[in-house]
Amino acid sequence: MSTQTSFPTRPLGRTDMAITRIGLGAWAIGGNGWAVGWGPQDDADSIAAIRLAVDRGINWIDTAAVYGLGHSEEIVRRALAQMAPGDRPYVFTKCGLTWSANNPMATPRRTGAPASIRREIEDSLRRLGVERIDLYQMHWPAGDGTPIDTYWQELLDLKQAGKVRAIGLSNHNLAQLQDAQALGHVDSLQPPFSAIQRGAGADLIPWCAAHDIGVIVYSPMQSGLLTGGFSAERARALPADDWRSRHAEFMAPNLARNLALADALKPIAERHGTTVAAVAAAWTLAWPGVTGAIVGARSAAQVNGLLGAAALELDSDDLDEVAVAIELTGAGAGPLRPPEDSAKLPANLFA
């Protein structure tokens, strides 16, 4: 496996992995035919996107068993099979969402039972075609009554057994993160985070920074809204099998605010000679404690529009401009900009 890249890297928490500032997200390449799909997707386009991202220097891919009900992991395997073993990126995936093959459109179940997790990891290893998963994450808090200390202990055991290199949590709140950390170190957290959905900047990200927990944020472009290429017309044209067609951020009144914020990022992108999408991702990377951002791409062309974020650093004036735009548009909720000095953060975050 190669970890050599010309892009800047950061250590992922206490792990031995140094990752590029952006990684390729594989949610959309799961395609349609399940409850939270993104509409039709061409597998050849997906493989081309993965290959280009890795060829250009991105050294990690984030997927999940549930994306396409196993299909995303299988596409990742097909892309990896076209690479020399020494050129392959780190592969991150997730457990804890299970489904019925007889009812693929049903909402996946949030499952934390250890026996289920043991089955899930074997299925993921098989679909991905790897001997060990680099980062294995609990996708959501369990909804089947399994307490967090039970499923977190199972992940700790998988790490001890060598099935996985590192373990993390996705979509967990601060109290849950603290409970897991009390049992055994959390290598990484994956929260949603963008200039629209900013809540993690208030507590989760600074707490992780204080406890050597890596943070890889997802949806930094708010699922396409902050790419500079989205429009009200496109929102209206989203197919019924695209989950965004049913989401409040893609409907009035939020949609107009979000698109106005995307427009406000265009002057920053022009100054830096890059894309609005890259600026949106770089905004999340400007937060102390954020290790990397997951950027989804469904084609090689989309990858090309995102690579600029891997090395882009926004300065204080840029961040002030985004903060003003957030206030003026009224988009989203949460802190307006990264803290300039971690000493200004609430002391109880570091307890």
Side-chain angles (χ1 to χ4, degrees):
M1 175 180 294
S2 173
T3 58
Q4 300 301 311
T5 175
S6 59
F7 287 130
T9 61
R10 288 189 178 177
L12 181 63
R14 295 179 189 169
T15 74
D16 61 356
M17 292 181 281
I19 63 172
T20 46
R21 302 305 316 282
I22 63 172
L24 187 67
W27 179 3
I29 71 173
N32 56 2
W34 66 296
V36 199
W38 291 66
Q41 173 67 15
D42 185 283
D43 291 345
D45 287 345
S46 301
I47 293 170
I50 293 170
R51 291 206 57 184
L52 178 63
V54 174
D55 287 346
R56 293 290 302 276
I58 301 306
N59 74 352
W60 56 288
I61 297 173
D62 181 85
T63 184
V66 77
Y67 296 162
L69 310 185
H71 189 63
S72 176
E73 289 186 332
E74 291 168 349
I75 293 300
V76 170
R77 183 195 71 233
R78 288 170 58 185
L80 294 177
Q82 297 179 12
M83 304 174 194
D87 295 334
R88 293 178 182 176
Y90 296 123
V91 177
F92 302 166
T93 194
K94 309 178 194 78
C95 63
L97 289 181
T98 59
W99 63 91
S100 168
N102 296 324
N103 190 10
M105 297 306 295
T107 300
R109 300 179 297 273
R110 296 184 183 182
T111 308
S116 176
I117 292 173
R118 288 193 290 273
R119 286 192 298 272
E120 291 174 60
I121 191 169
E122 295 301 331
D123 288 342
S124 286
L125 288 166
R126 173 180 49 79
R127 284 190 294 260
L128 290 165
V130 298
E131 295 181 358
R132 181 176 65 165
I133 291 166
D134 293 303
L135 174 64
Y136 201 48
Q137 304 155 95
M138 186 69 179
H139 207 151
W140 284 89
D144 61 356
T146 305
I148 189 168
D149 59 343
T150 298
Y151 62 76
W152 187 243
Q153 184 61 58
E154 183 61 33
L155 266 66
L156 288 166
D157 292 346
L158 290 174
K159 182 180 177 181
Q160 180 66 30
K163 292 277 189 180
V164 300
R165 187 173 191 162
I167 51 175
L169 296 171
S170 178
N171 297 303
H172 284 63
N173 64 30
L174 182 57
Q176 293 161 339
L177 175 60
Q178 290 170 327
D179 286 346
Q181 178 72 359
L183 188 65
H185 184 65
V186 179
D187 291 315
S188 74
L189 179 75
Q190 183 180 146
F193 191 56
S194 72
I196 294 170
Q197 192 170 2
R198 306 182 298 274
D203 55 2
L204 285 168
I205 292 170
W207 197 87
C208 286
H211 292 83
D212 297 326
I213 297 171
V215 176
I216 53 174
V217 301
Y218 75 87
S219 295
M221 298 165 294
Q222 198 63 43
S223 303
L225 286 169
L226 296 178
T227 59
F230 212 84
S231 65
E233 292 74 23
R234 187 172 172 193
R236 287 193 292 269
L238 289 171
D241 58 359
D242 187 323
W243 67 271
R244 296 174 296 177
S245 67
R246 304 179 295 278
H247 196 279
E249 295 294 355
F250 291 81
M251 303 176 186
N254 293 349
L255 179 62
R257 298 168 184 156
N258 296 336
L259 294 178
L261 177 57
D263 284 342
L265 301 183
K266 289 179 180 177
I268 302 174
E270 290 171 2
R271 285 200 303 272
H272 288 278
T274 190
T275 62
V276 169
V279 170
W283 183 88
T284 69
L285 295 169
W287 288 73
V290 174
T291 314
I294 300 165
V295 296
R298 304 174 68 163
S299 67
Q302 289 183 354
V303 170
N304 277 323
L306 295 165
L307 286 171
L312 176 60
E313 290 193 19
L314 302 182
D315 61 28
S316 184
D317 289 343
D318 296 327
L319 297 172
D320 286 341
E321 191 170 336
V322 176
V324 169
I326 291 170
E327 283 198 296
L328 289 175
T329 61
L336 300 180
R337 57 159 292 152
E340 296 193 60
D341 182 355
S342 61
K344 297 178 182 177
L345 295 169
N348 62 354
L349 286 175
F350 301 94

